[in-house]
Each structure stands twice: as structure tokens, then as C-alpha cells.
Amino acid sequence: MPSDKTYRKSKLGRLLDQLRKDAGKDLSYLASELRKTEAHLSKCLNGTNLLGWADLGLYLDLVEADEDRRRKATEYWEDAKQDSTRVQHPAAYNQAARSYARAEADASKLKQVEAVWIPGMLQVPEYTLALREAAHLFVNPKVPANRTVAARQSRQMRLHGDAPLQAHFLIDIAALRRAVGGPAAMYAQLLHLQASAALLNVTIQVIGEDAGAYAIDGVTILSFDDEDFPDVVYLETRGGGRWVENDVDVDKFRKSFNEIAEELAFTPEESLKVIRDQAELFKERLQRHDEP
């Protein structure tokens, strides 16, 4: 794991440091027991370095972590250990998806660009099921379809409540026209987009055909209230996904997102009209189908 401060290592480090303080253990004592330098252990606690698996277990023993916080530390370590350059296959390695869901749950802001599909946060169940069926070669057959939908619906609750996620979506017009699940499913999906766009914490912009080429797609940028946790980028693929966490590359994704939103995409008001017009087209298809 490179020696760079990342959200996932920072999250683990903060928990480990709090355990140290609660146990009244000096940094020098723990470093000595772990046979590490104080400087190295300090970097592990501030999110720059990562303890090895065996060292983590010993550390948790030394600070007398209870079962709940031991479990959390293990989950956080698994997240931080992921190789951000490797795409993982969800049928065999579900860690990438779990890691993203946990990061999304902690985020305060989300920015997402989708060129082909409606973003997961905005999908209706019929749309989610159609995508799952299409991606059957990548789906874990042991996970029932209704569980996939329930998980997606649960994540969407972040858009509601007392402290909702501030979400900004850039969606290519091709995704609005693609009849995923058929006309009825797409009509319901586009009505749901209209309702979502009405939320004060949600911004939806459509990227039209005349926008031409743009820099990024299938990209999610997560931001956190805590200044100790830097922004992270998640690149989603059929094979699972990968993280981008170094500051230079994250800044490129951030600037690319802003360029698309400010220079290429329709305004939120124009986008809502595009969504409504496309919904009417699917409605007309349904009516023609019902005609004798």
C-alpha cells in the first residue's frame, strides 16, 4: 500500500488512535511491542501508512478492543488494504462493492457521471432488475435478485432524512433513451428522475448529443465533512470497480466533472425538460402498444 493519506486509511487510523487513548496506552509503548518505530506507528494512526494484518491483531489485543470495535477495525482494514489499481470480480471478490457502499454511507457529497446507465442512487426496482439480468455473467448467483434491489433501495435512503447526501448527477441523454427493462420500466424510471430532481439536495444535469466527447464517465467522487478525510474517486466497472485516491488524479476528476457540468451539460432546468420530454415518448410507446 503506498504511503499516501487516504480516506480509508484515515478512517482506520482514527479508530485505532481512539482505542489507544481509551486504553491509556502510550505511542512509544505500542510501537515497542509491535517492534515498529514511533514515526511509523504515528503514520498508521494518521492515515498515511497501514499496519499489516498480524500487527493489527496484536495492536487490538494491546489496546483491549472489544468485539464491536475489533470488527469495525477489521472491516476498515479490509477497505484500506484494497489495491486501487486492480479491478475485482464481484462473483468471487465482493469486497470492492462493500467498500464503496461503506464510503458512500459516510460521505456528505456525491458527484457522479454516467454515460450509459441511470445512476444506481436514482434507479427504480424494475430498472435495477433489468440491469442485473443483463449482467448475469458478472452476478453472484447465490445473491437473490430481491436482495440486490433491497440493497440498492437502502442506499437511496441517503438522499432523504435530516442530513441527506448532497448529490450531483451528470447523465448522458443516451441513458434516458435506452429502453432498459422496456418502455414501462423506463417511463417509471424517468418519472422517478423528475421526482428526485425536485429534492433540494439533488442536482441532475443531462449531457446532450451536441456536447460531443467528454473526459470521464462511470465515475463517482465522494466528499466528506471531516477535513481529515480527502475526496476519493470510485471507477465502476462490470468487473467490480477500483479506487483513485492520490490528490493529483482526484483533482483531475474533480475539474473534469466541473467542466462537464458548467460547459457541456444542460442546466438543471433544461435537463428537467429533456427528462419530461423523453418520458412522454415512452408514454406514447406504451399507449400505442395498448391500442387494439
Side-chain angles (χ1 to χ4, degrees), residues 11-12 14-24 56-57 59-61 63-77:
K11 188 176 179 181
L12 172 62
R14 174 167 292 193
L15 173 61
L16 296 180
D17 196 38
Q18 187 60 54
L19 287 169
R20 178 187 68 81
K21 292 175 181 176
D22 291 348
L56 176 67
Y59 185 98
L60 294 174
D61 288 339
V63 298
E64 301 175 352
D66 60 29
E67 183 178 346
D68 180 59
R69 292 202 283 186
R70 184 180 288 271
R71 177 185 55 78
K72 286 183 178 179
T74 300
E75 289 179 353
Y76 295 171
W77 186 89

Side-chain angles (χ1 to χ4, degrees), residues 14 58 62 74 77-79 92 130 160 170-171 178 208 215 227:
R14 174 167 292 193
L58 178 55
L62 292 169
T74 300
W77 186 89
E78 289 177 348
D79 288 351
H160 307 276
L170 304 180
I171 309 173
R178 192 179 306 279
E227 62 182 15

Side-chain angles (χ1 to χ4, degrees), residues 41-288:
L41 183 56
S42 179
K43 288 181 179 180
C44 291
L45 299 186
N46 70 23
T48 303
N49 287 349
L50 183 67
L51 284 173
W53 177 251
D55 290 331
L56 176 67
L58 178 55
Y59 185 98
L60 294 174
D61 288 339
L62 292 169
V63 298
E64 301 175 352
D66 60 29
E67 183 178 346
D68 180 59
R69 292 202 283 186
R70 184 180 288 271
R71 177 185 55 78
K72 286 183 178 179
T74 300
E75 289 179 353
Y76 295 171
W77 186 89
E78 289 177 348
D79 288 351
K81 185 61 178 176
Q82 282 191 88
D83 181 352
S84 62
T85 65
R86 185 181 68 190
V87 175
Q88 296 180 332
H89 194 299
Y93 308 100
N94 199 27
Q95 186 59 43
R98 293 204 308 268
S99 175
Y100 173 77
R102 284 198 283 265
E104 185 184 78
D106 288 337
S108 59
K109 296 180 181 178
L110 175 150
K111 294 181 178 180
Q112 197 166 72
V113 186
E114 285 291 351
V116 182
W117 317 115
I118 302 300
M121 271 280 189
L122 301 175
Q123 291 176 12
V124 296
E126 299 90 338
Y127 192 98
T128 299
L129 286 172
L131 283 184
R132 186 182 189 278
E133 183 177 346
H136 63 94
L137 293 177
F138 298 91
V139 170
N140 185 344
K142 295 181 180 179
V143 179
N146 62 347
R147 195 165 145 196
T148 300
V149 172
R152 182 62 52 86
Q153 297 292 300
S154 176
R155 284 176 48 212
Q156 292 177 7
M157 294 305 295
R158 283 296 331 272
L159 297 178
H160 307 276
D162 295 332
L165 185 68
Q166 299 295 314
H168 190 167
F169 301 97
L170 304 180
I171 309 173
D172 197 288
I173 195 167
L176 306 184
R177 295 173 174 170
R178 192 179 306 279
V180 175
M186 279 307 298
Y187 181 56
Q189 178 62 73
L190 293 171
L191 290 181
H192 182 66
L193 284 187
Q194 294 174 50
S196 298
L199 298 173
L200 296 178
N201 56 301
V202 174
T203 300
I204 298 176
Q205 289 181 259
V206 174
I207 307 169
E209 292 173 337
D210 292 340
Y214 46 95
I216 57 175
D217 67 84
V219 170
T220 302
I221 305 171
L222 298 177
S223 302
F224 307 87
D225 283 336
D226 195 324
E227 62 182 15
D228 288 338
F229 293 159
D231 289 359
V232 293
V233 171
Y234 187 74
L235 308 179
E236 186 170 1
T237 72
R238 280 296 189 210
R242 64 187 179 98
W243 291 99
V244 177
E245 297 178 293
N246 71 80
D247 292 342
V248 174
D249 287 339
V250 169
D251 192 50
K252 291 177 183 177
F253 281 101
R254 201 160 35 217
K255 288 178 178 177
S256 294
F257 182 95
N258 292 337
E259 285 180 0
I260 298 170
E262 296 168 9
E263 301 174 16
L264 300 179
F266 293 119
T267 67
E269 294 76 20
E270 293 168 339
S271 298
L272 185 57
K273 183 180 184 304
V274 172
I275 294 169
R276 286 172 176 161
D277 289 346
Q278 190 59 46
E280 285 300 310
L281 292 176
F282 278 113
K283 183 179 180 181
E284 290 174 7
R285 289 175 60 178
L286 287 171
Q287 291 173 338
R288 290 198 300 269

